[in-house]
Amino acid sequence: MTGMTSSARPLLNRRLAEFGTTIFAEMSALALSTGAINLGQGFPDTDGPEEIREAAVRALRDGRGNQYPPGPGVPELRTAVTAHQQRLYGLSYDPDTEVLVTAGATEAIAAALLALLEPGDEVIAFEPYYDSYAACIAMAGGRRVPVTLRAHEDEGRFRLDLDELRDAVTDRTRLLLINTPHNPTGTVLTREELAAIAQLAVERDLLVVTDEVYEHLVFDDAEHVPLATFPGMRERTVTISSSGKTFSFTGWKVGWVTGAPELVTAVRSAKQYLTYVSAGPFQYAVAEALSLPESYFTDFRADMLAKRDLLAAGLAEAGLRVYRPSGTYFITTDIRPLGESDGFAFCRGLPERAGVVAIPNAVFYDHREEGAPFVRFAFCKRTRVLKEAASRLKTLST
């Protein structure tokens, strides 16, 4: 057997050729090498509730989940997910046939797209979008069709153009991939926008996958409304959420899918050949987390709201145009008031200039020029860290 030579064909298949090392790895390495404050990657710098961590320890010691858990997930967690959906949204699901536990939301998205797409099917997603969307669509052989959320400076927010969405649907469109609350812009789709999306999906007989991992992080007057609650949507919607963002245990990678039995069965058929199962002891802990009193979720939102406002004020003082998010724990800023327009160059130079790391939003766009001047900062950090970051960023305006 001969070795590969420089003239041999590439090892990476052409569907994934555009996906190399993620910007998150690059920026995190830059933070480490420069000692900068990392406001790039979206993970908290503190753990979640102590009683939930202890629940995981208890499960480990009691031997629950140390071996393969059931393929669909442990019954306790599937039951807790159904109770959560019923309590918050009035959505009723059967824990045995309409819930599937996954290795975080990312696996759920991958499994859903692998299960539901045929090669050449078009998938509409709102850009900027979470970077795994593009890779998962490619792995499934689909074709991504971006509909751009555009910045409205007068409103201080990003908005969906419903006419543009309707025009993007063709006879080849199979699926809408909807993310609300939306990463990275912080947009939370309104009831009116969701109703229009639902009507379009029913009229054109489209499947819908919704990424709702930030469902508990909505601020001000925004509300999270699952698309599955609208007429005609429950039977065509795969709803995805996870524990990582809500309970600040992102390393546990416990997510879930809810939907009609035939949809969940399809997703499970793909998922079983990815991780098969995962996070056994943590599933029991997350089941307890979903049953925490409402005060936990209220306090969690209030804490994140205060951090949002603290960092937003610091970014504005640094001379950036701030798009204050209605949800998630990210703030998008426009660097053009500083006389700059290249987000990549700005972010690569920011650690040396100000001792802070951020992410250029252009990596989340197919139309890179649309995202070029926008930069994302994460505020899911300790208050003292955010204050120090705000202080360092003041150097940008001097």
Side-chain angles (χ1 to χ4, degrees):
M1 180 177 178
T2 59
M4 296 290 289
T5 67
S6 60
S7 61
R9 67 180 184 181
L11 293 175
L12 186 63
N13 70 62
R14 64 178 179 273
R15 291 197 306 276
L16 296 179
E18 66 179 284
F19 305 104
T21 301
T22 71
I23 192 68
F24 301 106
E26 178 186 347
M27 292 296 119
S28 292
L30 198 54
L32 189 62
S33 65
T34 61
I37 295 173
N38 191 350
L39 301 186
Q41 197 160 6
F43 60 86
D45 57 0
T46 57
D47 286 342
E50 179 64 22
E51 63 265 39
I52 303 307
R53 184 165 56 179
E54 285 304 309
V57 173
R58 190 168 65 250
L60 282 164
R61 287 176 174 158
D62 292 347
R64 292 183 298 155
N66 292 336
Q67 309 306 325
Y68 292 138
V74 302
E76 290 85 347
L77 178 53
R78 286 183 279 121
T79 298
V81 168
T82 61
H84 173 273
Q85 296 300 88
Q86 179 67 54
R87 183 176 73 252
L88 268 68
Y89 311 121
L91 285 167
S92 180
Y93 290 104
D94 183 332
D96 294 325
T97 62
E98 298 185 311
V99 182
L100 173 66
V101 177
T102 59
T106 301
E107 186 196 39
I109 293 163
L113 296 177
L114 287 167
L116 301 175
L117 295 179
E118 295 287 355
D121 283 345
E122 292 182 350
V123 179
I124 295 175
F126 300 151
E127 75 169 353
Y129 38 65
Y130 179 48
D131 60 350
S132 81
Y133 293 179
C136 290
I137 292 169
M139 285 189 286
R143 177 176 175 269
R144 65 184 183 269
V145 178
V147 171
T148 307
L149 301 182
R150 291 195 166 82
H152 287 249
E153 185 180 338
D154 56 333
E155 299 178 21
R157 61 176 292 228
F158 286 74
R159 291 187 58 187
L160 168 66
D161 185 325
L162 288 168
D163 290 333
E164 186 177 346
L165 173 61
R166 293 187 191 97
D167 291 343
V169 177
T170 73
D171 292 340
R172 296 180 298 277
T173 306
R174 167 72 168 168
L175 187 147
L176 304 178
L177 179 51
I178 307 296
N179 175 210
T180 182
H182 182 265
N183 172 19
T185 68
T187 299
V188 178
L189 296 178
T190 65
R191 282 185 179 271
E192 292 73 23
E193 290 168 330
L194 290 165
I197 293 170
Q199 183 179 7
L200 177 64
V202 172
E203 287 176 355
R204 301 301 296 267
D205 193 24
L206 303 175
L207 294 173
V208 181
V209 173
T210 64
D211 177 352
E212 304 179 15
V213 299
Y214 293 99
E215 61 184 306
H216 289 286
L217 275 174
V218 291
F219 310 120
D220 306 322
D221 297 327
E223 61 173 336
H224 173 65
V225 184
L227 198 56
T229 61
F230 288 82
M233 293 308 294
R234 189 188 185 283
E235 60 268 29
R236 68 179 66 248
T237 302
V238 174
T239 301
I240 294 170
S241 193
S242 75
S243 60
K245 309 302 184 183
T246 299
F247 302 110
S248 299
F249 290 115
T250 58
W252 290 7
K253 298 298 290 180
V254 179
W256 51 85
V257 165
T258 54
E262 57 272 22
L263 289 173
V264 170
T265 297
V267 177
R268 186 171 66 242
S269 296
K271 180 261 187 298
Q272 67 188 343
Y273 295 111
L274 297 175
T275 60
Y276 178 52
V277 293
S278 61
F282 299 133
Q283 291 188 35
Y284 293 98
V286 172
E288 293 192 28
L290 286 172
S291 301
L292 287 171
E294 183 58 31
S295 59
Y296 167 77
F297 301 97
T298 301
D299 292 345
F300 177 60
R301 280 191 297 272
D303 178 58
M304 286 295 177
L305 175 61
K307 291 176 176 178
R308 180 202 71 172
D309 291 345
L310 186 151
L311 183 59
L315 293 168
E317 189 174 355
L320 296 156
R321 181 177 297 122
V322 175
Y323 290 87
R324 195 174 294 257
S326 297
T328 77
Y329 45 48
F330 302 109
I331 294 177
T332 289
T333 62
D334 189 333
I335 62 175
R336 284 175 291 192
L338 295 176
E340 305 190 43
S341 59
D342 183 344
F344 280 100
F346 178 85
C347 288
R348 286 172 175 141
L350 191 61
E352 292 293 343
R353 291 172 63 187
V356 175
V357 163
I359 296 291
N361 278 29
V363 299
F364 305 124
Y365 285 79
D366 278 1
H367 303 105
R368 290 292 176 97
E369 70 283 357
E370 291 278 354
F374 299 114
V375 169
R376 191 193 80 174
F377 295 83
F379 56 87
C380 51
K381 310 296 179 180
R382 288 167 290 178
T383 298
R384 65 174 179 82
V385 172
L386 295 175
K387 287 181 177 178
E388 175 60 23
S391 176
R392 294 184 183 188
L393 288 165
K394 288 179 183 178
T395 61
L396 297 176
S397 59
T398 58

